[in-house]
């Protein structure tokens, strides 16, 4: 079963940027759709961005225009560029196929606070 390792999180001020990376233990080419998800304290995990094998993307309304998802099949890596971050973006961010097909990784914490 493929494993995902997320990285790139941290503490950033409102309006700041972060770039998250998700490294897969094997090829992600077989996954038609890859996604980024997040889970804020006391809330259910939600998907925030998705990308197809052909490069089509979609985003939850709350991040549209601020986040950009991309994938590098050769490197088995999915990225999430996050700009204009808001306090409500604070969460643990995960990647997985969409719908999820593997166990969840440990995620990467993103904290947006002044």
């Amino acid at each position: 079963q493929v494993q995902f390792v997320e990285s790139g999180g941290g503490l950033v001020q409102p309006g700041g940027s972060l770039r998250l990376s998700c490294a897969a233990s094997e090829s992600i080419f077989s996954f038609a759709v890859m996604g980024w998800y997040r889970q804020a304290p006391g809330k259910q995990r939600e998907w925030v961005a998705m990308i197809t094998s052909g490069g089509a993307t979609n985003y939850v309304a709350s991040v549209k225009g601020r986040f950009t998802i991309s994938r590098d099949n050769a490197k088995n890596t999915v990225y999430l560029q996050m700009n204009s971050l808001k306090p409500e973006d604070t969460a643990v961010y995960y990647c997985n196929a969409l719908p999820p097909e593997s166990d969840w990784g440990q995620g990467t914490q993103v904290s947006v606070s002044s």
Side-chain angles (χ1 to χ4, degrees):
Q1 187 179 49
V2 64
Q3 294 180 329
F4 299 108
V5 179
E6 301 90 352
S7 62
L11 175 62
V12 64
Q13 292 185 340
S17 298
L18 286 173
R19 188 191 193 209
L20 307 185
S21 297
C22 169
S25 60
E26 55 188 73
S27 174
I28 62 172
F29 187 77
S30 61
F31 296 113
V33 184
M34 288 293 300
W36 279 97
Y37 305 75
R38 67 186 179 187
Q39 186 168 20
K43 295 187 177 181
Q44 289 190 335
R45 186 178 286 140
E46 64 171 350
W47 79 270
V48 296
M50 56 171 279
I51 184 167
T52 70
S53 56
T57 59
N58 199 11
Y59 303 89
V60 69
S62 60
V63 309
K64 197 168 292 186
R66 300 188 296 119
F67 289 11
T68 302
I69 187 173
S70 60
R71 64 191 287 173
D72 186 334
N73 290 334
K75 295 183 178 180
N76 298 330
T77 302
V78 182
Y79 304 97
L80 186 68
Q81 177 66 45
M82 306 187 297
N83 299 327
S84 302
L85 283 161
K86 303 176 180 180
E88 51 263 42
D89 295 318
T90 294
V92 180
Y93 285 70
Y94 304 86
C95 72
N96 209 317
L98 183 70
E101 296 186 22
S102 298
D103 291 341
W104 296 97
Q106 84 287 351
T108 187
Q109 175 71 49
V110 172
S111 299
V112 185
S113 174
S114 55

